[in-house]
Amino acid sequence: MPWSDPGGNGNKNDNNPWGRRPNAQKPVFDIQKITQELKKLGGIFGSGGDRGGGSKMNRKWLQLLPFLAVAILVLFWIASGIYVVGPDEEGVVLRFGKEVGISQPGLHYRLPFPFERVYLPKVAQSHRLVLGYGGAADSLNPGMMLTADGNVVDIRFAVQYRITNASHYLFATTNPDQLISYGAESAMRELVGRSNIDDLLTSSRGAIEQQAQQITQNLLNRYHAGVTINSVQLLQVAPPKAVQPAFTEVTTAREDMERVRNEAQAYASSVIPKAQGEAGAMVTNAEGYKQQVVDRAKGDSARFTDILQAYQKNPKVVSERMYLHTMQDILSHTQKVIIESKGQPVIYLHMPARTPTMAVKSPTNSVAATAPAVSISSPVARTSSPAPLQIPISGASS
């Protein structure tokens, strides 16, 4: 049986393993003992329970106790002037509300409150403000701005700044972040009002960001804000939701226009150089032909002048020579047929153009020619061909 069973295991005392009965009550406090302890405490604090020097010593401690408490409080008050300036902070110490010094990072001491007070702004960190359109359609939209071409856009942009003068940052205005916000929004509205919506959506965003940074910095310097604007970044530029579908269609049409224009420019870039090359080639050929004709005319003129001068000196020789040259030119381009004076046998010499002049003799002698073939036929057999040149041979036998 378990040990908790009252009649089990033969245990007469019914004790549990820890030496106590399960249903035994807790021991009652000893009142007399407690009373004696309280009397001892009363004797320490001068209750008169003890006699002799102990009582006088306790009274002295009771008289010194308020002074000890005040001394401890004063020590804590003096120690409250110790402060630490972090590595990214700068301490501005004020004495009765007036600036008396700047503390660099490290451990420092100031007069306790209410004499001096220390502000610790984060001067090494980059702070960021997001301004403009916040997405709330039922509230006043600070990012809704009007462009130069009459369009309304929702703009959301971020301003990053760093504290450069802690005193100016803390005391030039009651709310430094609000001053920076107002300055940045004013600069952005000025730039948006001077720009077209296409410039805001495409290529001019970088220039607008730089100009907004410069204008905001100049405005804050005028108010001694004690900050340096690191950058202004356009996060979102979009038309209002009510006109966004129509604006999307207009944007698509403009993109199509740009695409067609680019294709036309590419086609023009491929066709115009080709046409210019062909025109240049034609001009060059014409110039060459012109020079060739002029040179030929000059040569013919010079040759005719030379012949004229020679003819004036010896007309008979020049005439005979010109006749021979002319016959040579004619015979060198004409088919040749050799016949007798009576017209009986016909010797047809089929010779290609530009062949050497052949030697012709009488029938009694041999006929020497450089032509590849010689055919003899009647004159009637050649009626269909061009009229050949007939050369009669005088003295030939029948």
Side-chain angles (χ1 to χ4, degrees):
M1 301 179 72
W3 61 268
S4 58
D5 192 352
N9 204 16
N11 193 351
K12 297 180 180 179
N13 297 326
D14 293 332
N15 293 332
N16 59 22
W18 290 275
R20 185 182 299 172
R21 293 182 61 184
N23 297 326
Q25 296 181 355
K26 294 181 180 180
V28 181
F29 290 103
D30 191 351
I31 301 298
Q32 296 180 355
K33 187 175 181 180
I34 294 174
T35 304
Q36 293 176 0
E37 294 294 335
L38 291 176
K39 288 181 179 181
K40 290 181 179 180
L41 289 175
I44 293 175
F45 289 102
S47 60
D50 293 335
R51 291 186 261 181
S55 163
K56 295 179 180 179
M57 185 64 66
N58 292 335
R59 288 193 183 95
K60 287 183 179 180
W61 280 108
L62 287 176
Q63 293 175 358
L64 294 177
L65 185 61
F67 297 99
L68 291 176
V70 172
I72 293 173
L73 292 177
V74 170
L75 288 177
F76 276 105
W77 178 71
I78 294 174
S80 65
I82 301 174
Y83 66 96
V84 178
V85 180
D88 59 342
E89 298 175 341
E90 193 173 82
V92 181
V93 183
L94 303 181
R95 183 177 298 163
F96 297 111
K98 181 181 179 181
E99 181 183 348
V100 295
I102 300 295
S103 302
Q104 299 302 321
L107 183 64
H108 301 274
Y109 182 81
R110 60 173 176 83
L111 295 179
F113 183 83
F115 301 104
E116 289 184 352
R117 187 176 181 181
V118 178
Y119 291 94
L120 301 174
K122 304 286 186 180
V123 297
Q125 291 184 0
S126 179
H127 304 270
R128 189 169 188 262
L129 292 176
V130 179
L131 308 172
Y133 175 58
D138 55 348
S139 62
L140 181 62
N141 187 354
M144 188 173 292
M145 302 180 186
L146 185 66
T147 62
D149 53 356
N151 291 303
V152 179
V153 291
D154 286 333
I155 293 182
R156 186 167 178 260
F157 61 100
V159 179
Q160 290 187 348
Y161 67 93
R162 185 172 54 86
I163 301 173
T164 54
N165 191 320
S167 300
H168 291 174
Y169 177 79
L170 292 173
F171 309 122
T173 178
T174 57
N175 193 340
D177 289 345
Q178 188 176 20
L179 177 62
I180 297 172
S181 301
Y182 288 164
E185 289 180 0
S186 176
M188 187 60 67
R189 288 184 184 278
E190 177 183 352
L191 294 173
V192 171
R194 296 186 306 186
S195 305
N196 296 328
I197 190 170
D198 294 335
D199 298 334
L200 293 172
L201 295 175
T202 55
S203 60
S204 299
R205 297 185 61 170
I208 291 175
E209 291 173 351
Q210 294 179 359
Q211 294 176 9
Q213 176 183 353
Q214 186 63 35
I215 294 174
T216 305
Q217 185 66 61
N218 295 336
L219 186 61
L220 295 177
N221 291 339
R222 191 186 312 168
Y223 288 102
H224 304 286
V227 297
T228 297
I229 303 299
N230 295 329
S231 65
V232 176
Q233 182 182 5
L234 288 173
L235 302 178
Q236 180 181 354
V237 179
K241 292 183 178 180
V243 297
Q244 193 165 7
F247 186 84
T248 303
E249 294 179 359
V250 173
T251 304
T252 304
R254 289 179 178 175
E255 292 176 353
D256 293 339
M257 180 185 68
E258 289 294 331
R259 177 179 55 80
V260 174
R261 180 182 299 174
N262 294 333
E263 292 177 355
Q265 290 178 352
Y267 177 73
S269 299
S270 63
V271 171
I272 291 176
K274 182 178 179 181
Q276 290 176 348
E278 293 177 355
M282 293 176 65
V283 171
T284 303
N285 293 335
E287 292 290 339
Y289 177 73
K290 170 188 173 182
Q291 190 66 33
Q292 180 182 0
V293 171
V294 171
D295 293 341
R296 184 183 301 169
K298 288 181 180 179
D300 294 341
S301 175
R303 184 168 58 254
F304 180 79
T305 302
D306 294 340
I307 293 174
L308 178 61
Q309 293 175 358
Y311 181 80
Q312 291 175 353
K313 293 179 181 179
N314 196 344
K316 185 176 180 181
V317 175
V318 173
S319 300
E320 185 69 21
R321 186 174 180 180
M322 291 177 63
Y323 172 77
L324 294 176
H325 277 292
T326 303
M327 294 302 296
Q328 181 179 359
D329 292 338
I330 294 173
L331 293 176
S332 62
H333 298 86
T334 307
Q335 296 180 352
K336 303 167 184 64
V337 179
I338 301 175
I339 62 173
E340 292 184 353
S341 59
K342 296 181 180 181
Q344 293 298 325
V346 177
I347 301 175
Y348 174 72
L349 302 178
H350 179 70
M351 303 174 64
R354 301 179 183 274
T355 55
T357 306
M358 58 185 305
V360 181
K361 295 184 180 180
S362 61
T364 56
N365 301 326
S366 61
V367 179
T370 60
V374 178
S375 62
I376 301 175
S377 61
S378 62
V380 182
R382 293 291 176 178
T383 56
S384 59
S385 62
L389 180 64
Q390 299 181 358
I391 303 177
I393 303 176
S394 58
S397 60
S398 54

